[in-house]
Amino acid sequence: MSIFDYFRSKTKNASASVAKERLQIIVAHERGQRQQPDYLPQMQQEILDVIRKYVAIDQESVNIQLENNDHCSVLELNVTLPDR
Amino acid sequence: MNTREPGVAGRIEERVLAKIIVVTSGKGGVGKTTSSAAIGTGLALRGFKTAIIDFDVGLRNLDLIMGCERRVVYDFVNVLNKEATLNQALIKDKRTPNLFILPASQTRDKDALTQEGVQAVLNELSRDFDYIVCDSPAGIEKGAQMALYYADIAVVVTNPEVSSVRDSDRILGILQSKTRRVEAGEDPVEEHLLLTRYSPARVQAGEMLSVQDVEDILAIPLIGVIPESEAVLKASNQGMPVILDQETEAGQAYSDAVARLLGDQVEHRFLEVQKKGFFKRLLGGK
Ligand SMILES: Nc1ncnc2c1ncn2[C@@H]1O[C@H](COP(=O)(O)OP(=O)(O)OP(=O)(O)O)[C@@H](O)[C@H]1O
Ligand SMILES: [Mg+2]
């Protein structure tokens, strides 16, 4: 490695730090999902079925998440309805 | 030879059972088979009677890496189906005493492994082995789950690269929820991080996640760092586990990892770029 490389490596916007940041976010997200109760997928499916009685939506349009805070859990339901 | 003190298992069981180590990763091609061969050989070299089992049904490779591919007669699935006894299927390693290999089948379908079958084989092996090393297939589905279900210890093989780290974290999730130990309410599976294909120069250049980065994300203890090394390919060409080549950094790094697995305190090596000559002096060494 030349002397120029040495100093360049210190100042360059390192891609490894981008990788680390992205990983920290996705891993935290996936760990959160893992801790969700087993009934969640089934419940998501049933909610989807109910909504489908009235509106034509697909699987990806319903997003259910359980957020655990210190004192309580919040069930968050997001449904994207199609444009009309 | 059984030198372990009776642990939790020892209190419940009469005899001291083998410790079951799974080598797993989620992502494919990160070095599980290379590491299984090295760790199994390393344990046998330290005097422990060791069996390495290839769980990669349909894609067996451990036999090639261990150099015993021409001696395969029966395999894991034959034993499960009672077409052969365990003793008939186990291949005694030619180079290393105390070491045996149980090859995977080459042709059968992946569903050939059943929970009960695997348990029966592991139970039988447990009686006269000290360590059983399970070389997991890639993925997080049934095959990988079968390989880790009975484990006492997990070696999570990870490359310093985004998809490998993420998959390792997923495997950790499975290790914490879908194992015999969890289901029996015993102590959880002991988890160890084995970082492989590490390139200090690229880390220094900011192009590769560092050991610290991966440790920060996965948050499990580090058992070893294996440098990216030409010696690994060379060893696999010859059908010889790389740990037997103690001239090489990869071989030495695997020996260190085995020592740590057995509880020795060993400093990590090969983590820094070897600076040399003028520059080294200019910077005051190290
Ligand atoms: N430290 C290393 N340096 C260089 N090459 C390596 C190193 N470790 C593994 N490899 C190479 O990476 C490739 C994959 O290794 P290996 O077969 O052990 O991975 P694997 O995780 O078992 O793969 P699979 O998921 O397909 O079972 C091989 O070509 C091997 O030689
Ligand atoms: Mg493999």
Side-chain angles (χ1 to χ4, degrees):
Chain A
M1 178 155 92
S2 80
I3 194 161
F4 297 106
D5 287 338
Y6 182 80
F7 290 112
R8 199 184 306 142
S9 74
K10 293 286 154 187
T11 53
K12 188 167 66 186
N13 184 12
S15 64
S17 57
V18 179
K20 184 178 185 183
E21 251 169 63
R22 291 174 59 219
L23 271 168
Q24 277 169 328
I25 294 166
I26 188 67
V27 162
H29 174 75
E30 287 178 348
R31 282 181 190 159
Q33 290 205 322
R34 241 183 258 152
Q35 272 145 28
Q36 293 183 343
D38 294 342
Y39 62 73
L40 220 66
Q42 170 95 34
M43 189 169 81
Q44 167 150 2
Q45 187 58 48
E46 286 177 22
I47 291 173
L48 184 72
D49 292 342
V50 170
I51 298 172
R52 268 187 183 154
K53 280 206 232 168
Y54 305 93
V55 198
I57 54 169
D58 52 27
Q59 197 82 31
E60 285 79 55
S61 312
V62 176
N63 177 25
I64 296 186
Q65 269 186 53
L66 199 61
E67 301 277 334
N68 290 309
N69 298 329
D70 290 344
H71 314 292
C72 61
S73 304
V74 177
L75 182 72
E76 197 182 296
L77 173 65
N78 264 300
V79 185
T80 315
L81 297 179
D83 297 339
R84 21 137 121 242
Chain B
M1 163 174 145
N2 237 321
T3 53
R4 282 170 290 117
E5 295 152 17
V8 179
R11 255 180 279 134
I12 301 163
E13 308 281 347
E14 293 279 324
R15 54 206 152 69
V16 184
L17 297 172
K19 281 209 173 161
I20 302 177
I21 303 177
V22 64
V23 179
T24 184
S25 69
K27 187 169 158 60
V30 297
K32 289 180 294 298
T33 301
T34 304
S35 300
S36 299
I39 291 169
T41 304
L43 288 168
L45 286 172
R46 298 272 299 240
F48 295 99
K49 190 170 177 190
T50 304
I52 317 177
I53 307 183
D54 191 345
F55 270 78
D56 208 343
V57 172
L59 280 173
R60 83 162 167 241
N61 272 322
L62 181 68
D63 55 336
L64 271 177
I65 300 301
M66 294 299 299
C68 63
E69 70 279 5
R70 297 188 53 192
R71 295 165 60 213
V72 176
V73 182
Y74 296 110
D75 59 52
F76 195 6
V77 175
N78 291 134
V79 178
L80 291 181
N81 292 343
K82 302 209 163 38
E83 294 152 358
T85 65
L86 197 47
N87 277 331
Q88 287 175 308
L90 280 173
I91 301 172
K92 190 175 186 330
D93 192 80
K94 284 224 162 118
R95 299 188 189 90
T96 312
N98 308 316
L99 184 60
F100 294 80
I101 293 105
L102 183 58
S105 70
Q106 189 69 288
T107 51
R108 319 247 185 155
D109 69 309
K110 291 208 182 296
D111 294 328
L113 296 190
T114 61
Q115 185 110 319
E116 306 74 53
V118 170
Q119 181 172 23
V121 169
L122 291 178
N123 276 345
E124 196 179 337
L125 279 174
S126 278
R127 269 176 234 136
D128 52 60
F129 280 83
D130 298 312
Y131 283 95
I132 302 171
V133 178
C134 304
D135 178 17
S136 173
I140 54 171
E141 301 304 319
K142 201 176 157 213
Q145 294 196 14
M146 198 80 83
L148 65 76
Y149 185 79
Y150 294 100
D152 301 305
I153 299 169
V155 172
V156 179
V157 181
T158 308
N159 290 167
E161 168 269 321
V162 284
S163 53
S164 173
V165 175
R166 178 203 213 168
D167 286 0
S168 291
D169 194 68
R170 288 176 167 168
I171 277 291
L172 288 171
I174 295 172
L175 283 165
Q176 286 150 16
S177 61
K178 294 179 181 164
T179 61
R180 183 197 65 78
R181 281 179 164 270
V182 173
E183 285 169 14
E186 292 176 17
D187 289 344
V189 178
E190 207 181 292
E191 299 160 343
H192 298 282
L193 170 63
L194 182 65
L195 196 58
T196 61
R197 312 202 68 162
Y198 194 68
S199 171
R202 302 192 69 188
V203 172
Q204 194 180 64
E207 299 168 7
M208 183 181 268
L209 291 166
S210 68
V211 179
Q212 189 62 53
D213 291 339
V214 180
E215 282 188 281
D216 286 350
I217 294 161
L218 294 179
I220 57 170
L222 183 70
I223 194 85
V225 179
I226 314 299
E228 172 76 25
S229 161
E230 288 171 13
V232 174
L233 180 62
K234 195 176 143 217
S236 75
N237 284 340
Q238 296 171 331
M240 183 186 93
V242 71
I243 197 171
L244 291 178
D245 191 352
Q246 283 294 314
E247 307 275 284
T248 65
E249 291 191 348
Q252 294 169 23
Y254 272 119
S255 288
D256 289 358
V258 170
R260 290 187 200 103
L261 201 59
L262 293 170
D264 298 354
Q265 299 284 332
V266 184
E267 282 258 0
H268 287 279
R269 296 189 268 176
F270 320 120
L271 305 187
E272 305 291 334
V273 179
Q274 317 289 327
K275 296 193 194 97
K276 28 183 144 73
F278 165 69
F279 223 80
K280 186 169 180 173
R281 272 176 276 129
L282 188 72
L283 293 173
K286 203 180 182 253

